[in-house]
């Protein structure tokens, strides 16, 4: 497959959502584990930092799942062609 730069990639960028889903799940596992470990070790500051990261990860997971469920606009398959570049658009 050959990729051609059109100049409007940021407007039509696609994210590998399934990879992001698994990476966020892995991060959630580690942050929850870190929170538990720091609570057991008596380090409330580090436990709070890990809990805050876990909360951010949960929000990211929710957004990724929402985008996956919205269908091919956010998670196109191999049979969905790239978006057509915007032509004649003036700023």
């Amino acid at each position: 497959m050959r990729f051609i730069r059109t100049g409007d990639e940021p407007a039509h960028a696609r994210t590998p959502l399934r990879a992001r889903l698994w990476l966020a799940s892995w991060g959630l596992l580690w942050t929850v584990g870190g929170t538990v470990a720091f609570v057991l070790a008596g380090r409330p500051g580090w436990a709070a930092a890990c809990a805050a990261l876990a909360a951010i990860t949960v929000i990211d997971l929710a957004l990724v799942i929402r985008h996956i469920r919205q269908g091919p606009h956010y998670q196109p398959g191999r049979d969905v062609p790239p978006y057509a570049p915007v032509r004649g658009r003036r700023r």
Side-chain angles (χ1 to χ4, degrees):
M1 181 186 298
R2 197 174 125 212
F3 295 101
I4 299 173
R5 286 189 54 86
T6 60
D8 67 344
E9 284 80 8
H12 297 112
R14 296 180 178 174
T15 303
L17 292 174
R18 299 224 186 269
R20 206 170 130 194
L21 176 73
W22 289 111
L23 287 171
S25 300
W26 182 250
L28 182 62
L29 178 75
W30 276 98
T31 55
V32 168
T35 302
V36 170
F38 283 123
V39 165
L40 294 175
R43 299 287 211 171
W46 284 104
C50 282
L53 285 174
I56 292 170
T57 305
V58 166
I59 293 168
D60 185 46
L61 276 170
L63 290 174
V64 168
I65 290 169
R66 178 176 168 250
H67 285 170
I68 287 173
R69 288 184 179 172
Q70 285 181 340
H73 178 70
Y74 286 100
Q75 185 66 12
R78 293 185 185 274
D79 57 335
V80 177
Y83 294 107
V86 178
R87 303 254 188 233
R89 186 173 167 189
R90 294 179 187 229
R91 296 180 187 210

